[in-house]
Amino acid sequence: MAGHRRAPGALARGFLALVGRVVVPMALLSVAGAAAAQTGAGGESAAPRCVIDDAGQELCLGAPARRIVALAPSVTELLFAAGAGPHVVGAVSFSDYPKAAESLPRVGSYDRLDLEALLALAPDLVVAWGGGNPREQVERLAGLGVPVYFADADDFATIAASLERFGRLAGSEDVARQAAASLRRDVAELSRRYRDAEPVTVFYQVWEQPLMTVNGEHWISRSLALCGGVNLFAGQAPLVPRISREAVLAADPEAIITGGMGKADSTWLEAWRDFPDMIAVSRDNLFFINPDLVQRATPRLVEGTRTLCRHLQRARDRRSPEEPR
């Protein structure tokens, strides 16, 4: 869910097969472009810019990256937030935030890259989604000499760290540090505000057919916990488990929250009204949230978490003395 929210498999997959024909001259162009970008005007390499990516691998660039390609919508958001936006020259489909990202050249989708189109952009840095891009294709890029950073942010701490690392690689350290500091302050404020909040049992719906939720390791579940929410399916083994409707009915959550299939599509919630005896339904604790705010691990997750917290507070406010939870 980190990157592409429209396909249910995006959230459940463990990050898929080389496709398309990659011509050798294009690969050489990419490597040559990367080398040129990392060499100073006098032909001498600048001091290396080194970071450790989310796969635990060290990546060093000879100079700030000036032609960056992002391989997940969430990665695109993170790069722009870190001040690297002017240097992003390509992205995958559904990279729609911020507005400037909509006009970027496309290099396929997060799960099926167009390597020829990607290499034609002569990137000096590719930021891959460690949990979603086809491993063989990304390894092919690395084998051609393209610097690859593996990003896999899954909580507020790693989002903030990613901002700082991207700022280091792109030479936008000041912007990145400010963005990371702002994120950490906002999270700390939410934590202080809701740390003593009464718990609210929650079912968060990721998808309708098949019915899917998140376990306790997912960043959505962690955001709910920050607000005092108790994920009723936190103990499931898969990060994004499939469950039955009967299991939800048996759990009888106090609140049901979903992002639906779009930014303003709450039809999934309406289906739960067929079960008026559920606590969430009887108290009208059926809450919609813009999926982009919670299903992508980006700085906007703070805004999404604030919305989750407001929803859970409404659920608390709707309790009566006769219906304690």
Side-chain angles (χ1 to χ4, degrees):
M1 230 190 278
H4 172 24
R5 64 176 173 77
R6 287 171 168 76
L11 299 170
R13 259 178 228 153
F15 308 131
L16 285 159
L18 183 61
V19 297
R21 182 175 61 89
V22 182
V23 290
V24 173
M26 200 67 75
L28 294 176
L29 173 63
S30 173
V31 175
Q38 294 180 26
T39 302
E44 296 180 357
S45 296
R49 292 172 172 266
C50 297
V51 299
I52 303 297
D53 68 14
D54 291 332
Q57 301 173 346
E58 184 179 51
L59 173 67
C60 294
L61 301 181
R66 288 296 174 263
R67 298 190 61 78
I68 307 172
V69 175
L71 301 188
S74 58
V75 167
T76 305
E77 283 194 37
L78 284 165
L79 286 164
F80 273 84
H87 310 302
V88 179
V89 297
V92 292
S93 56
F94 299 113
S95 294
D96 54 8
Y97 189 89
K99 186 72 174 177
E102 294 181 356
S103 60
L104 289 171
R106 299 309 188 196
V107 294
S109 61
Y110 82 97
D111 60 349
R112 189 176 178 84
L113 305 174
D114 183 340
L115 292 187
E116 190 167 356
L118 191 161
L119 291 171
L121 296 172
D124 54 16
L125 175 63
V126 169
V127 183
W129 177 21
N133 297 144
R135 176 64 66 173
E136 290 183 27
Q137 289 192 295
V138 176
E139 290 178 350
R140 177 71 180 275
L141 290 173
L144 291 171
V146 181
V148 177
Y149 177 106
F150 287 91
D152 203 8
D154 60 1
D155 57 21
F156 285 119
T158 50
I159 293 171
S162 294
L163 292 171
E164 293 169 334
R165 293 171 191 159
F166 292 160
R168 172 70 177 157
L169 293 173
S172 55
E173 289 96 330
D174 289 345
V175 174
R177 276 195 295 265
Q178 291 173 19
S182 176
L183 176 69
R184 291 179 178 120
R185 284 195 303 270
D186 289 345
V187 172
E189 189 275 330
L190 282 171
S191 180
R192 286 192 298 269
R193 182 173 180 182
Y194 291 99
R195 71 180 150 208
D196 296 323
E198 295 179 0
V200 177
T201 57
V202 181
F203 167 61
Y204 185 91
Q205 181 175 338
V206 171
W207 205 253
E208 172 64 17
Q209 293 293 337
L211 190 61
M212 302 174 77
T213 186
V214 295
N215 76 2
E217 297 302 311
H218 198 282
W219 63 80
I220 293 177
S221 188
R222 293 171 180 171
S223 288
L224 287 168
L226 189 151
C227 302
V230 178
N231 177 1
L232 290 172
F233 296 94
Q236 296 286 312
L239 191 67
V240 183
R242 297 185 181 190
I243 57 173
S244 67
R245 194 171 302 278
E246 290 71 24
V248 179
L249 294 174
D252 200 10
E254 187 174 0
I256 296 176
I257 305 175
T258 185
M261 294 184 67
K263 299 177 183 179
D265 183 359
S266 60
T267 54
W268 291 351
L269 284 178
E270 296 307 310
W272 292 106
R273 297 192 185 279
D274 293 338
F275 306 97
D277 292 335
M278 293 183 70
I279 293 174
V281 178
S282 65
R283 299 184 188 177
D284 199 26
N285 291 336
L286 303 177
F287 302 116
F288 177 80
I289 188 168
N290 178 348
D292 286 354
L293 300 182
V294 290
Q295 291 179 195
R296 294 181 183 181
T298 73
R300 289 196 293 166
L301 182 59
V302 170
E303 182 181 348
T305 302
R306 288 196 189 99
T307 301
L308 291 174
C309 289
R310 287 195 294 268
H311 287 333
L312 297 191
Q313 188 55 48
R314 289 191 187 98
R316 294 184 191 96
D317 294 341
R318 289 169 180 170
R319 293 170 175 168
S320 67
E322 295 78 25
E323 298 175 315
R325 287 294 295 229

